[in-house]
Amino acid sequence: MLLQLKNLHKQFGSVPVLKGVSLDVDGGEFVTLLGSSGCGKTTTLRIIAGLEDPDKGEVWLDGKNITLEDASSRDVNTVFQNYALFPHMSVAENIGYGLKLRRVPRDEIKCRVNEMLHLIQLDGFGNRRPAELSGGQKQRVAIARAVINKPKVLLLDEPLGALDLKLRRQMQIELKRLQKQLGITFIYITHDQEEAINMSDRIAVMHRGILEQVGTPNEIYYAPRTSYVASFVGNANIIRQNGTVIAVRTENILHDGEAECIYPATVKEKSFNGGQLRILFKMRDGQEVTASRYGIDADVMVGEEIPIGWRTKDAILVNDDVR
């Protein structure tokens, strides 16, 4: 086990931010901390980096307790959303800055910088300034600067958040490619569920200072353990019936006669979003259920009462979130 977080607690003033976070990460893994703002993911990252001290708990790296070590002495680097490139330095100087601080010989720095430029597909960009680069190019330079020292762990704090949607999707592919080529462990922070699913070997879903669930993208999506995980990762309806709580994905809500569990419901709204038609139903007990379909229309009318339901295999029993 390369990285171990053991029972981390952190409180700011009277507000508890982490409530016993424990996580084991293998070498070469791409693990994403996924959650909404305020869930504790950035605090966890800062504790790993040595930028915050836990009130309780330990951080172990490669079999060594580093909880009390300074950030500068940890074999960990961080990439932030704002790139943090030196504007007065060239791309090559930015990438090689850490090697220069370590007094690596000039010829070796030049060689390793050129290797990094090739790896991030920016051959010939070494003499440019950051102001001459696009957002995606700046982010690749920031990553190259962070990994040229070959840290054991690279921490990435929402590094694609400032990019537009198309570029962000391209960079997701690039980052995953880089991570696999370098073989470095990535701990990635995002609130974007699609990003987490597309890139991660495992996802750790955080909520109110705890890890709700840790698993592969498939496990998180198809076998959520709690109502929070089911509704946060993908679009799921949380339906409460007879003391039990089930999650049914919006794509599994049926109104075409194929359902096994059938309930009368009234069509409240229809809206088209991102290639999908979304239909909001209100069941007779007052619960609202959303169905999604590819296309732009469906043969149902707002105000109409029709039978809706789902197949038994598509209903996932989950624990309710009462914290």
Side-chain angles (χ1 to χ4, degrees), residues 138-279:
K138 289 177 184 175
Q139 193 56 271
R140 279 184 273 171
V141 172
I143 291 165
R145 183 179 63 183
V147 300
I148 196 168
N149 288 329
K150 300 178 182 177
K152 290 177 179 173
V153 177
L154 184 65
L155 308 173
L156 302 103
D157 191 359
E158 304 217 34
L160 309 184
L163 306 180
D164 63 54
L165 180 60
K166 183 179 179 181
L167 184 54
R168 194 159 70 239
R169 286 175 173 165
Q170 291 174 351
M171 282 301 298
Q172 288 172 13
I173 296 169
E174 283 296 308
L175 265 179
K176 187 65 177 174
R177 177 187 66 83
L178 278 171
Q179 191 263 338
K180 290 305 177 188
Q181 281 188 252
L182 293 165
I184 295 174
T185 299
F186 277 26
I187 307 294
Y188 191 93
I189 280 188
T190 186
H191 61 273
D192 186 324
Q193 52 171 289
E194 179 183 308
E195 199 164 88
I197 289 171
N198 285 343
M199 301 172 70
S200 312
D201 296 321
R202 286 191 301 146
I203 299 170
V205 183
M206 295 194 71
H207 182 43
R208 296 180 181 175
I210 69 163
L211 291 180
E212 288 263 340
Q213 186 173 347
V214 181
T216 66
N218 268 15
E219 289 168 343
I220 296 293
Y221 189 85
Y222 291 110
R225 294 177 189 162
T226 69
S227 57
Y228 177 80
V229 173
S231 57
F232 190 78
V233 182
N235 298 308
N237 297 285
I238 305 302
I239 302 168
R240 295 169 174 84
Q241 296 177 322
N242 303 319
T244 63
V245 184
I246 61 170
V248 184
R249 297 287 175 196
T250 58
E251 63 267 26
N252 292 327
I253 296 293
L254 306 172
H255 53 87
D256 53 11
E258 296 181 17
E260 298 166 3
C261 306
I262 301 173
Y263 303 89
T266 302
V267 180
K268 284 193 67 179
E269 295 175 7
K270 294 195 319 184
S271 61
F272 180 71
N273 182 24
Q276 287 192 324
L277 179 72
R278 301 180 70 80
I279 308 170

Side-chain angles (χ1 to χ4, degrees), residues 106-120:
R106 185 177 300 177
D107 288 346
E108 184 179 344
I109 292 176
K110 183 177 180 180
C111 180
R112 287 171 64 176
V113 166
N114 285 335
E115 288 175 358
M116 292 307 306
L117 285 169
H118 182 69
L119 185 65
I120 63 173

